[in-house]
Amino acid sequence: MDDVDMRLIAELRRDGRASVQMLAQRLGVSRATVRLRLARLQAQGEILGFTAITRGDVADAPVRGLMLIGIEGRGGDRIMARLAGMPEVTAVHSTNGRWDLVVDLAAQSLAELDEVLRRIRNLDGVVTSETNLLLSTRRAQSRGLG
C-alpha cells in the first residue's frame, strides 16, 4: 500500500459513506483512481467491509493492552524503533505528561502478553511502565468532520 491507499483508507474510516467523488476531492485524485484503488484494495483483502475494516483491524489477537512507558535520557527514538520491530506492537505513540510513550499491544494469550511486557521492560532506557488490558472496544461514529 502506498500513501494514496493509506489516505483513502483513513478517509473511509472517517466517513465510510463518502461518495467516490468526495473521496477523490479529499485525496486530490480522479474518481477513476479512487474506483480502481478501492477495487484493488478489496481484491487484495485489505478492505474487508465498508466501515473500512482492514486486515490489521481484525487480526486474530484476543488479548490487547496499552502500555505506558517512561524513558530515561534521550533513548526515545531507539526504543521506538525496537518497539516497532516487535510483532505484538500494533502502534507506538509519543506523548507528553507523565509517560513518554503509549504502546498498543496485541497477543494471543495472557502468557504471550506477559512475555512481551517483560521484553519491553528490559529494553535499555525503559525506567517505568504501566499496562492496562483492553476489555472491549467501541469505534467512534463518523461525525462528518472536515
Side-chain angles (χ1 to χ4, degrees):
M1 288 197 306
D2 65 10
D3 181 60
V4 174
D5 291 337
M6 301 292 277
R7 290 177 29 228
L8 176 57
I9 288 173
E11 286 295 330
L12 287 168
R13 281 186 173 139
R14 190 168 66 78
D15 182 1
R17 295 176 296 184
S19 68
V20 169
Q21 174 67 34
M22 182 59 68
L23 292 167
Q25 288 174 346
R26 290 178 183 167
L27 298 173
V29 299
S30 71
R31 290 181 307 209
T33 297
V34 170
R35 276 193 220 93
L36 287 171
R37 286 178 180 261
L38 281 172
R40 181 176 46 79
L41 290 167
Q42 285 178 293
Q44 291 174 340
E46 290 294 335
I47 294 180
L48 302 175
F50 277 94
T51 51
I53 302 168
T54 66
R55 186 180 5 216
D57 291 335
V58 295
D60 185 24
V63 179
R64 299 184 38 106
L66 293 175
M67 185 176 196
L68 310 168
I69 299 175
I71 298 172
E72 175 181 64
R74 299 179 186 257
D77 289 340
R78 179 182 44 77
I79 291 170
M80 285 180 81
R82 295 282 305 274
L83 292 169
M86 295 180 176
E88 302 86 359
V89 173
T90 60
V92 179
H93 313 274
S94 60
T95 186
N96 66 332
R98 178 176 176 203
W99 303 103
D100 299 302
L101 300 176
V102 176
V103 181
D104 294 346
L105 299 168
Q108 295 296 315
S109 66
L110 286 173
E112 182 180 313
L113 181 66
D114 186 45
E115 173 58 24
V116 172
L117 296 177
R118 186 194 62 74
R119 287 193 335 245
I120 292 171
R121 288 178 184 132
N122 284 331
L123 291 175
D124 187 40
V126 171
V127 292
T128 188
S129 70
E130 178 181 313
T131 304
N132 295 285
L133 291 179
L134 300 178
L135 302 176
S136 67
T137 300
R138 291 176 185 86
R139 300 277 181 207
Q141 296 295 320
S142 172
R143 292 177 182 84
L145 301 175

